[in-house]
Amino acid sequence: MAKLEDLVNVDPDYIVCKQCGGMVRYRGSGKHICEDCGAVYLDDFGKVKEFLEKRGPSNIVEIAAGTGLTRGGVNKLLREGRIQVADNSRVQLLCEA
């Protein structure tokens, strides 16, 4: 799987695939796919989503290690509500105020 960071961003609506030069479009759930060669690029949310689908509930350290994100990056997704703490978890997010 290619890295989203490797894409050339000509303008916000047109992203060029590094593998073939084709147009890459966002397909939801953090996944971007090249219309020409089918290369799949994942943003940070896509990386975490894919990791959790394969591994199941995991802590921040495991998610960060398995996705290449920093713990701060995982925390950012939590604070944005894009991922959630499992109901049976003893972990809680603290208020930033």
Side-chain angles (χ1 to χ4, degrees):
M1 189 163 320
K3 293 180 182 177
L4 188 61
E5 302 83 40
D6 290 341
L7 296 175
V8 176
N9 200 353
V10 177
D11 76 45
D13 297 322
Y14 187 81
I15 300 174
V16 177
C17 177
K18 278 289 221 179
Q19 294 182 22
C20 75
M23 184 176 210
V24 176
R25 294 211 183 260
Y26 183 68
R27 297 294 182 205
S29 296
K31 189 178 282 188
H32 305 256
I33 301 175
C34 176
E35 293 181 341
D36 293 339
C37 72
V40 176
Y41 299 87
L42 298 174
D43 60 21
D44 289 349
F45 173 72
K47 291 174 189 175
V48 172
K49 183 177 186 301
E50 185 176 86
F51 177 84
L52 293 173
E53 285 174 349
K54 290 179 182 174
R55 295 275 313 268
S58 302
N59 65 44
I60 290 176
V61 173
E62 293 167 335
I63 294 169
T67 61
L69 273 70
T70 63
R71 285 188 249 168
V74 177
N75 269 319
K76 181 176 183 240
L77 292 172
L78 281 165
R79 292 191 186 289
E80 292 172 349
R82 299 193 68 200
I83 59 174
Q84 298 176 336
V85 175
D87 290 334
N88 61 351
S89 175
R90 297 182 309 202
V91 174
Q92 296 179 348
L93 290 178
L94 300 175
C95 180
E96 290 184 346

